[in-house]
Amino acid sequence: HKQEAMCVLYAFCREVDDVADNEDQSSEEKRIELKRWREDLQRAYRDEVPELPIIKELQPVIKEFDLPSKHLEALIDGMEMDLTKTRYDSWEDLAGYCYHVASVVGILSVKVFGYQHPSSDDYGYHLGQALQLTNILRDVRVDALKGRIYLPQDLLREHGVSDDDILNHRFTPAFKEVAKAVAQKARSHYKSASHYVYPDERKLLVASEMMAGVYWRILLKIERSGYQVLRPKLTKLSKPHKLGLVARSAIRFWLNVNSSDYGPR
């Protein structure tokens, strides 16, 4: 039952993201489309009949799991940010973006999982930040090809790295220091997330903990490569490696191991 609810929530996130990524539409057309999604979401919360199929499916999930409208609307806000913003000035600025596109998904997901501890929002927030920062670090080259730089501008200035260096994929000792700082920031969020998992409810978080384990190992692989994220080859895990991690998570789940399979120990 929870799996079906998560599939609907994920489909909503995916379709909203697809609106922002649609290369066949102008920014203004995308903005109009996202406004349509926002209005239909508000319709669902007013107990009216939504127009969009996925929001019709989402409406009973919203009610059953008491999903706050502010989080779902924050996700749409995040997609709108991508229509206009291609740079982020500071860590605080970037954290706001990560909140809108990732942390809110984490917060909503743990509600569906049934994690009722008072710190559930903290767990979702930090895990979302950790996963998104891992994505940002892995995708520096991919984003640069689209003219986007998610690395904080003040961090780049601190190390003497220019936008032009990033856009032209220049790997330098200075860039390596920037990438290392982003990895350290991600590590701190993984560590914080693990502190908000409590023994009596750990089993409810098996899905998110499994995902965190996968992304954690992507981060480790980036670190072991010397932060070579500007090369064409994207850092990823092989399918056997992922399956091994799934098996590892399952064993830990069955043995009721009381620790997260990620983050600095």
Side-chain angles (χ1 to χ4, degrees):
H1 178 59
K2 291 179 180 179
Q3 183 182 35
E4 291 175 356
M6 278 304 303
C7 285
V8 173
L9 177 59
Y10 176 79
F12 169 80
C13 297
R14 181 73 268 166
E15 290 195 27
V16 171
D17 188 50
D18 286 345
V19 172
D21 286 343
N22 188 349
E23 296 182 357
D24 295 329
Q25 288 187 319
S26 66
S27 293
E28 185 57 32
E29 288 171 327
K30 292 176 185 178
R31 197 181 304 282
I32 292 170
E33 183 65 14
L34 288 172
K35 181 181 178 183
R36 180 184 171 217
W37 276 80
R38 191 187 300 278
E39 291 173 347
D40 209 39
L41 185 62
Q42 292 169 348
R43 206 171 283 123
Y45 276 95
R46 293 196 300 266
D47 289 328
E48 299 173 7
V49 179
E51 297 176 358
L52 297 165
I54 193 60
I55 294 187
K56 286 182 182 179
E57 292 184 55
L58 185 62
Q59 191 173 35
V61 174
I62 288 171
K63 290 182 179 180
E64 180 173 357
F65 296 99
D66 194 24
L67 304 183
S69 62
K70 66 179 182 180
H71 295 320
L72 289 165
E73 291 195 27
L75 182 68
I76 298 176
D77 291 341
M79 299 305 106
E80 288 183 332
M81 290 167 73
D82 266 338
L83 299 184
T84 56
K85 290 198 72 169
T86 59
R87 304 290 188 275
Y88 290 85
D89 294 332
S90 63
W91 283 116
E92 183 180 5
D93 201 20
L94 181 60
Y97 172 75
C98 292
Y99 167 79
H100 283 88
V101 300
S103 289
V104 292
V105 180
I107 292 169
L108 291 165
S109 296
V110 296
K111 291 183 184 301
V112 174
F113 296 154
Y115 189 50
Q116 300 296 327
H117 198 278
S119 67
S120 63
D121 283 6
D122 295 311
Y123 171 77
Y125 172 81
H126 286 290
L127 191 57
Q129 293 281 319
L131 301 187
Q132 189 63 26
L133 285 171
T134 303
N135 267 335
I136 286 171
L137 187 55
R138 180 193 62 185
D139 294 346
V140 171
R141 181 187 175 94
V142 173
D143 292 326
L145 291 171
K146 300 175 184 177
R148 297 182 176 278
I149 299 175
Y150 290 99
L151 306 174
Q153 291 290 301
D154 59 2
L155 178 65
L156 295 178
R157 287 192 294 269
E158 178 186 343
H159 291 281
V161 177
S162 68
D163 284 6
D164 191 59
D165 290 332
I166 304 295
L167 296 175
N168 288 285
H169 319 134
R170 297 190 191 108
F171 185 83
T172 63
F175 173 79
K176 184 176 179 179
E177 291 303 310
V178 168
K180 184 177 180 180
V182 176
Q184 288 298 322
K185 181 70 74 172
R187 276 176 166 267
S188 71
H189 283 295
Y190 281 111
K191 184 177 181 179
S192 295
S194 69
H195 287 167
Y196 288 112
V197 183
Y198 294 89
D200 55 338
E201 298 190 68
R202 180 175 291 279
K203 288 184 177 181
L204 295 171
L205 299 175
V206 62
S208 57
E209 288 287 278
M210 188 180 298
M211 178 179 289
V214 170
Y215 274 75
W216 169 249
R217 283 161 180 82
I218 290 174
L219 181 63
L220 294 182
K221 191 171 182 178
I222 289 171
E223 290 176 339
R224 287 195 299 268
S225 76
Y227 304 98
Q228 293 285 347
V229 292
L230 291 175
R231 60 189 180 185
K233 186 177 181 181
L234 198 66
T235 303
K236 59 177 70 174
L237 303 183
S238 67
K239 189 172 183 179
H241 192 171
K242 288 181 182 178
L243 290 173
L245 291 175
V246 170
R248 177 185 171 94
S249 295
I251 292 170
R252 289 170 59 85
F253 173 72
W254 290 325
L255 295 177
N256 199 28
V257 176
N258 187 28
S259 63
S260 295
D261 193 24
Y262 59 87
R265 301 294 190 267

